[in-house]
Amino acid sequence: MSHETTGIEYLFQDPKIHLDERVRDLVSRLTLEEKVESMLQYQPAIDRLGVAAYKHGTEAAHGIAWLGEATSFPQPVGLACTWDTELMRLIGSVIADEARVYYRRDPKLNGLTLWAPTVDMERDPRWGRNEEAYGEDPYLTGELSKELVKGIQGDHPVYLKAVATLKHFLGNNNEVDRGIGSSSIDPRNLREYYLRAFEKPFTEGGAQSMMTSYNLINGTPATLYHGVNDIVRGEWGMDGFVVSDAGDVMGIVNDHQYYDSHTPGVAESIRAGIDSITDDAELSKQAIREALAQGTLQEEDLDRALFHTFRVRFRLGEFDPAADNPYASIGEEALLTEQARELSLRAAREQIVLLKNEHELLPLNPARCGKVAVIGTHGNEVYRDWYSGTLPYRVTPLEAIRAKLEGEDAKERVVYRDGKKRVILTAVNDGAKLTVDSSGEMRLSQDGEPTVLTMTDWGYGSVTLHDEHLGTYVTSDEETLRVTADEAYGWYVKEVFGLTPVGQGEHLWTTWNGKPVIARTEGSLKVVEAEKSALNAVESNASTVLGQSHTFQVETVSDGLAEAIAAAQAADTAIVFVGNHPLINGKEENDRPGLELAASQQRLIEEVYRVNPNTIVVLTGSYPFAIPWVQEHIPAIVYTSHAGQEHGTAIADVLFGDYAPAGRLNMTWVQSEDQLGDIKDYDIIRGGRTYQYFEGESLYPFGHGLTYSPFEYNDLRTDAPKDSVKSIAALDAVDTLQVWVEVTNRGVAAGEEVVQLYVRPGASRVKRPLKTLCGFQRIRLDAGETRTVSFTIRMKDWAIWDVTRDCYCVETGEYTLLAGASSADIRLEHPVYVRGEVIPPRQAGRSIRAENFDNCSDIVLDESKEQREACVRPRTPQRSGWIAFHGVDMDTVSVVELQCRVSGNSSDATIELRLDAPDSEAVARVNVGNTGGAQAWVTLSEAVHSVSGTRDVYLLLSGEVRLAHFTLGANATEDSGFQA
């Protein structure tokens, strides 16, 4: 049948043709300028071919965001605490359904390529974007992300419901300097930790998109990182498209200052795997045109990128009859369904973690709990974060608790006190008081009734000011203040202020960006530049300059703390709600200033507990907190993320026993920030990060969470036959292991348990984790019920990255399976012997890459532009650093020479060879000096005194020196065969 008779004008319009052939046909029909235009996030319509305009990128971290009302789910940090893979798939499906609704409303602006999930590893709880990801363990993150991807993309063999975009690749776990900083990640950390979280969503989840990160990776901008093509596409077989983060391709110049113009960065990004540029459209297109003209970019490079983006659009059904695509019929009926509401409530319940429950204070019995005091700001609020959608409704904890105690006396039984101060602000110079009119205009006046503002202290010098009469917040622009904001919200949260004491009874009032607020003599308030205002005045102890007041008195009209104490004292049970605001003191672009609660919240807890020992603390947070005092004193502690529309309902259900909590922590909660290293240190192995390597005493361990029923574990066993010599279960490294454990609910009511399976490796060539999660299941058991929980373990997943050979390796030896309720609550152990490999010693005479060290001190990885490998350099030129290579067999050659591929950028740049210990006597010293710059690479050699045996090699680097690789041997040559 001809195309003419079927109405098909072009090959790409024929659904019967193979997908890849259709995509290639479409791309081949584009003019060069159309190809250039289509490389951007907003792909234009090409009317002559019947191609519609399309936008890549709809935010969907925990529900569709920014397009209008949509079902809201808990923050990803909370979803991770569910440890529920089935739930994640269901949530992904709802998100995709609602994306389809908005797509049908406006397909040009509401695309189906969704920017979720965030798969970044959370090795540090101070990360400002902690709320967006799934925790510190790559196995948990990979499993949950994989299922969310499956839910978003659907299960049709041809068509996609929507597209999941994994972000941010790679090593993006600090906000400070994220646009200019480099994440130093050696091969073992890379392969065993950071990459593992991304792998399963691609290889098993089939994710069709990925976003690169803002940072550099070992000195290379992430948009240029070879791992996109080599690993994501090459090793994992990802056949979708890669998108840059917003503004990041231009950031190669603007932020990283990696090139002097945009043209080489844009060209290299496309060659390195970026298929869609989310950036300044005109600058990007001009750079592409220039690169094509210069020959640094070929039309085939654009064809390859557009093949990836259009292939995904084809799979979304855009170019096929709607009747062929089962997802094309999704319409308005799929938005905000009752089933989605129930799923939101299920998720909000499942993510709640019971941290402590002394004397079984929880659950509360509505008939016997007496009078309840609900205390704290979070008791009557539901906050949303930057990537939250527009909540269709919100249930606060106070509303839900009152509903639990329904009846004529419900309002009398539940007393609410927010614990906030009500204040009046007065200009110091003339005593004029702040007033607010009905339009939100603010003035200072000697006459009339001053306006009382409710002040919420968020800690670390951040407060918000709210006019309860108007129901709005004080907000600022560049010069003025108004009381017009419905909530504290925005990329820049302009409803945040500072009221810093600077003298007796005087405060400096500053805006969100540190600009002082001054009072003018005519009564107006103005925001000014810091150098022109109160800072200078305060330093000279002058509160008034040229008729302008630079400081304010803060008069307390009512003391919220005193009111809270009185309410707690009069109540039978006190429930104190504390936590963070998801956009204050920690968010995208801002890492947290500390792990503690706001000092005012800490004091609120302590004072309430002092007068009422039946105190329950409900902690709402986007991240872990350091709360050792609370853990020591408060009998019951509940943790929840900001859980969306059903936030309050879920909390009340748990508090009153209508739902037994079973959430588990997705991160280790430390006692103090002092237990953490530098937030920019990405070496979890040597830095002792995450439960895998942390040897300190945690506040709450990874996987921790209590419930209302005791669960008993019995009979941990495997299908591995016993080894006749070892007398324990044994199997080969290529095998799959079946594991079973019996779990019994010994309580009087039904409940849920998260059964966790870990593996503890035995003797190893390298430092191994204390334990690693290798399986988990969330199960529900009736009272007295026993169930056999099964796990399937692939031995290859126990592999380490062997830096001596550049490959994964399952080491021969004994491993111990650990089954329990958390990483610290291990109930049963079972040994398994694995017949794998014994890693051989390195051989002198072969080239060894510097990045493949076994240990290091004061070293970071950086870029070697001449080869696609990282080099090493001292962390600072002022301090020497060393790298170690254990077990080098010196007898394979007669070692008489050390040869190094190096660059030097200072006269004191040197490399010393030492044996067996970093402080031993040097046996060779290479004077590198200045080779002409950091990327001016040369090969230098130095004689070595004759050595033999198997030795540990240490290379001490001093000054501004970089080392790419080295060889120990006789007459070594630059092209010696590489050994990892």
Side-chain angles (χ1 to χ4, degrees):
M1 185 180 293
S2 70
H3 286 174
E4 287 75 13
T5 58
T6 60
I8 294 173
E9 185 176 358
Y10 304 111
L11 183 68
F12 73 83
Q13 296 171 326
D14 188 350
K16 298 182 179 63
I17 302 299
H18 189 276
L19 172 63
D20 290 357
E21 190 175 351
R22 295 176 68 192
V23 179
R24 279 191 287 268
D25 179 70
L26 171 58
V27 173
S28 72
R29 296 179 187 278
L30 303 179
T31 67
L32 183 58
E33 183 58 25
E34 286 169 343
K35 292 177 182 179
V36 172
E37 295 272 348
S38 299
M39 288 296 298
L40 279 298
Q41 177 190 18
Y42 288 85
Q43 293 184 311
I46 304 170
D47 295 332
R48 65 183 183 84
L49 296 176
V51 176
Y54 187 86
K55 177 201 172 190
H56 291 292
T58 294
E59 298 292 354
H62 48 117
I64 294 298
W66 307 352
L67 302 184
E69 289 187 356
T71 303
S72 66
F73 296 97
Q75 295 174 302
V77 67
L79 293 177
C81 290
T82 68
W83 292 54
D84 189 337
T85 54
E86 177 199 46
L87 174 69
M88 296 299 290
R89 188 185 292 210
L90 293 172
I91 289 173
S93 183
V94 168
I95 290 172
D97 283 342
E98 298 193 341
R100 279 275 172 183
V101 174
Y102 279 104
Y103 174 71
R104 286 189 71 171
R105 288 183 182 179
D106 190 347
K108 293 181 181 179
L109 292 179
N110 304 331
L112 292 172
T113 44
L114 311 183
W115 286 352
T118 296
V119 189
D120 300 297
M121 293 314 305
E122 298 186 316
R123 66 192 164 95
D124 196 302
R126 295 167 295 191
W127 184 33
R129 301 183 75 172
N130 194 89
E131 68 206 24
E132 296 181 38
Y134 296 90
E136 71 182 24
D137 182 77
Y139 182 86
L140 177 66
T141 295
E143 290 292 324
L144 296 178
S145 300
K146 174 185 74 178
E147 295 304 317
L148 188 78
V149 168
K150 288 181 177 179
I152 287 173
Q153 298 190 167
D155 56 7
H156 194 274
V158 176
Y159 295 105
L160 300 165
K161 187 188 287 191
V163 169
T165 300
L166 309 186
K167 57 182 191 178
H168 309 85
F169 193 83
L170 187 72
N172 177 30
N173 191 214
N174 60 272
E175 294 304 289
V176 60
D177 294 337
R178 71 173 183 174
I180 60 175
S182 179
S183 301
S184 177
I185 306 175
D186 67 88
R188 277 199 64 209
N189 276 283
L190 178 72
R191 291 286 185 166
E192 297 176 27
Y193 188 66
Y194 295 101
L195 289 178
R196 277 192 171 166
F198 280 89
E199 184 173 1
K200 280 189 178 179
F202 284 122
T203 59
E204 298 179 21
Q208 286 291 288
S209 183
M210 183 184 80
M211 177 184 287
T212 52
S213 56
Y214 282 117
N215 52 280
L216 302 105
I217 304 165
N218 297 338
T220 300
T223 53
L224 311 182
Y225 180 53
H226 69 86
V228 173
N229 282 331
D230 292 352
I231 299 172
V232 179
R233 292 195 187 282
E235 296 182 23
W236 298 343
M238 194 273 266
D239 57 0
F241 74 98
V242 178
V243 59
S244 65
D245 208 340
D248 197 32
V249 173
M250 298 300 105
I252 295 171
V253 173
N254 297 339
D255 301 320
H256 299 305
Q257 298 179 4
Y258 190 83
Y259 287 121
D260 294 331
S261 74
H262 295 304
T263 302
V266 170
E268 193 172 334
S269 291
I270 294 170
R271 294 199 307 271
I274 298 297
D275 304 309
S276 176
I277 298 174
T278 312
D279 218 312
D280 184 292
E282 294 309 313
L283 283 177
S284 300
K285 288 185 288 187
Q286 183 59 33
I288 293 173
R289 296 185 191 108
E290 290 176 359
L292 289 168
Q294 294 169 4
T296 55
L297 195 63
Q298 304 299 319
E299 187 171 359
E300 304 89 82
D301 297 318
L302 303 187
D303 291 347
R304 182 176 58 253
L306 294 174
F307 176 85
H308 296 146
T309 54
F310 275 108
R311 189 177 190 276
V312 167
R313 288 178 62 177
F314 270 88
R315 291 199 62 194
L316 288 166
E318 179 182 343
F319 298 94
D320 292 353
D324 293 350
N325 179 5
Y327 305 122
S329 62
I330 296 174
E332 294 293 327
E333 76 287 344
L335 184 65
L336 298 172
T337 66
E338 178 61 21
Q339 293 79 8
R341 187 200 68 77
E342 292 174 357
L343 189 66
S344 174
L345 177 56
R346 173 183 166 183
R349 286 168 167 167
E350 285 195 18
Q351 55 92 45
I352 292 176
V353 182
L354 181 60
L355 296 174
K356 183 182 179 182
N357 193 23
E358 201 170 64
H359 310 307
E360 297 184 346
L361 180 58
L362 291 176
L364 298 172
N365 186 323
R368 297 199 296 268
C369 65
K371 191 172 184 179
V372 177
V374 175
I375 294 169
T377 301
H378 290 77
N380 198 29
E381 293 282 359
V382 177
Y383 295 106
R384 62 188 184 123
D385 60 52
W386 178 244
Y387 291 108
S388 292
T390 303
L391 276 59
Y393 63 90
R394 53 187 84 192
V395 181
T396 72
L398 176 63
E399 293 167 340
I401 289 170
R402 281 182 170 155
K404 294 292 181 187
L405 302 177
E406 60 185 350
E408 292 184 4
D409 63 343
K411 287 191 176 180
E412 288 71 31
R413 287 186 66 190
V414 181
V415 177
Y416 175 62
R417 297 291 182 268
D418 58 22
K420 303 175 185 178
K421 286 183 179 181
R422 271 68 180 175
V423 301
I424 293 172
L425 298 179
T426 305
V428 168
N429 66 324
D430 60 5
K433 297 184 183 301
L434 180 69
T435 63
V436 182
D437 67 20
S438 59
S439 69
E441 291 290 339
M442 304 177 70
R443 289 192 64 79
L444 290 155
S445 175
Q446 301 282 356
D447 306 314
E449 195 70 22
T451 297
V452 176
L453 295 176
T454 302
M455 183 170 72
T456 306
D457 177 12
W458 295 105
Y460 303 101
S462 298
V463 301
T464 51
L465 300 167
H466 184 255
D467 187 322
E468 291 180 323
H469 177 70
L470 295 178
T472 50
Y473 287 85
V474 180
T475 187
S476 66
D477 58 24
E478 290 303 308
E479 293 188 352
T480 61
L481 303 180
R482 289 175 59 84
V483 190
T484 55
D486 293 329
E487 61 182 328
Y489 188 81
W491 182 258
Y492 301 112
V493 188
K494 298 181 179 181
E495 296 72 43
V496 174
F497 296 92
L499 283 168
T500 307
V502 292
Q504 189 165 3
E506 298 185 25
H507 295 77
L508 180 64
W509 188 359
T510 52
T511 61
W512 64 277
N513 54 353
K515 294 183 177 182
V517 178
I518 66 170
R520 290 178 162 179
T521 51
E522 76 275 15
S524 67
L525 294 171
K526 185 174 182 181
V527 179
V528 298
E529 295 296 330
E531 63 269 16
K532 298 178 181 179
S533 65
L535 295 180
N536 295 330
V538 170
E539 288 176 1
S540 61
N541 295 317
S543 62
T544 306
V545 176
L546 299 177
Q548 299 177 346
S549 178
H550 294 273
T551 57
F552 296 80
Q553 290 180 337
V554 181
E555 176 188 347
T556 300
V557 176
S558 64
D559 185 352
L561 177 61
E563 294 168 353
I565 293 170
Q569 196 164 21
D572 299 287
T573 303
I575 310 175
V576 184
F577 287 83
V578 293
N580 79 308
H581 188 295
L583 291 170
I584 300 174
N585 295 331
K587 61 178 284 289
E588 186 167 359
E589 286 201 334
N590 299 107
D591 291 315
R592 297 168 64 189
L595 300 181
E596 298 78 15
L597 289 169
S600 59
Q601 293 186 358
Q602 180 67 32
R603 187 181 176 198
L604 181 66
I605 296 170
E606 293 178 9
E607 292 299 319
V608 167
Y609 175 70
R610 181 175 58 82
V611 300
N612 191 330
N614 291 327
T615 294
I616 300 159
V617 168
V618 177
L619 179 59
T620 301
S622 305
Y623 31 63
F625 289 88
I627 52 169
W629 188 95
V630 179
Q631 167 60 22
E632 182 181 354
H633 295 89
I634 302 300
I637 309 168
V638 173
Y639 167 71
T640 172
S641 73
H642 296 274
Q645 60 197 45
E646 293 287 350
H647 178 74
T649 309
I651 291 172
D653 284 349
V654 165
L655 293 177
F656 288 91
D658 295 309
Y659 183 83
R664 298 292 188 267
L665 294 180
N666 65 331
M667 295 184 71
T668 301
W669 288 35
V670 295
Q671 301 265 359
S672 165
E673 187 177 1
D674 295 339
Q675 293 177 298
L676 302 173
D678 188 333
I679 191 173
K680 296 181 182 179
D681 181 6
Y682 279 76
D683 189 339
I684 71 161
I685 299 173
R686 296 161 193 86
R689 295 296 188 93
T690 81
Y691 78 97
Q692 294 190 47
Y693 295 97
F694 180 63
E695 297 184 4
E697 182 180 351
S698 65
L699 183 68
Y700 304 115
F702 173 80
H704 171 73
L706 308 176
T707 189
Y708 295 153
S709 295
F711 287 83
E712 181 179 285
Y713 287 64
N714 289 292
D715 193 20
L716 177 62
R717 62 192 187 277
T718 74
D719 68 345
K722 276 193 175 182
D723 184 274
S724 58
V725 177
K726 298 293 182 181
S727 298
I728 61 173
L731 70 168
D732 294 328
V734 296
D735 290 342
T736 297
L737 180 69
Q738 293 298 130
V739 182
W740 299 275
V741 62
E742 288 187 357
V743 182
T744 303
N745 181 353
R746 293 300 184 191
V748 297
E752 292 175 275
E753 174 78 342
V754 177
V755 183
Q756 301 168 41
L757 187 68
Y758 296 85
V759 60
R760 181 177 65 220
S764 172
R765 179 190 175 277
V766 298
K767 181 179 180 181
R768 296 290 297 268
L770 303 170
K771 59 178 72 74
T772 301
L773 184 69
C774 60
F776 64 90
Q777 283 191 45
R778 183 170 181 136
I779 61 171
R780 185 184 185 278
L781 298 179
D782 291 330
E785 181 183 358
T786 296
R787 183 180 305 173
T788 299
V789 180
S790 64
F791 300 93
T792 301
I793 309 296
R794 302 178 303 184
M795 290 298 95
K796 69 176 185 178
D797 291 337
W798 292 0
I800 62 169
W801 184 255
D802 176 15
V803 294
T804 74
R805 296 174 296 173
D806 264 344
C807 64
Y808 283 108
C809 167
V810 179
E811 290 184 293
T812 292
E814 186 173 311
Y815 297 75
T816 305
L817 289 167
L818 312 167
S822 83
S823 62
D825 185 6
I826 300 301
R827 310 290 180 84
L828 299 170
E829 299 187 5
H830 185 85
V832 175
Y833 187 81
V834 179
R835 294 180 289 263
E837 296 181 81
V838 176
I839 298 174
R842 302 176 192 264
Q843 295 182 354
R846 301 191 64 189
S847 183
I848 299 175
R849 295 213 308 272
E851 65 175 336
N852 278 331
F853 51 77
D854 290 305
N855 202 358
C856 69
S857 176
D858 287 314
I859 286 290
V860 294
L861 284 88
D862 211 328
E863 183 183 48
S864 169
K865 286 189 177 182
E866 72 168 5
Q867 297 185 34
R868 293 210 311 188
E869 63 185 58
C871 64
V872 301
R873 63 171 174 82
R875 187 176 300 277
T876 66
Q878 294 75 32
R879 181 169 179 170
S880 299
W882 54 258
I883 50 178
F885 302 83
H886 297 154
V888 180
D889 184 355
M890 301 291 188
D891 292 333
T892 55
V893 295
S894 175
V895 177
V896 296
E897 185 179 63
L898 167 66
Q899 185 182 85
C900 302
R901 188 65 176 171
V902 294
S903 72
N905 203 29
S906 64
S907 60
D908 61 346
T910 62
I911 297 176
E912 290 185 358
L913 170 63
R914 302 180 178 190
L915 299 177
D916 303 326
D919 57 355
S920 65
E921 185 177 351
V923 296
R925 176 187 175 96
V926 178
N927 294 310
V928 180
N930 194 326
T931 63
Q935 296 300 329
W937 294 92
V938 298
T939 300
L940 299 176
S941 301
E942 186 64 35
V944 177
H945 300 298
S946 181
V947 293
S948 61
T950 299
R951 312 288 292 271
D952 291 343
V953 170
Y954 289 81
L955 295 174
L956 184 74
L957 283 68
S958 302
E960 292 190 52
V961 62
R962 286 169 167 79
L963 173 66
H965 51 90
F966 70 97
T967 307
L968 288 168
N971 300 317
T973 58
E974 184 183 342
D975 60 351
S976 298
F978 272 99
Q979 177 187 345

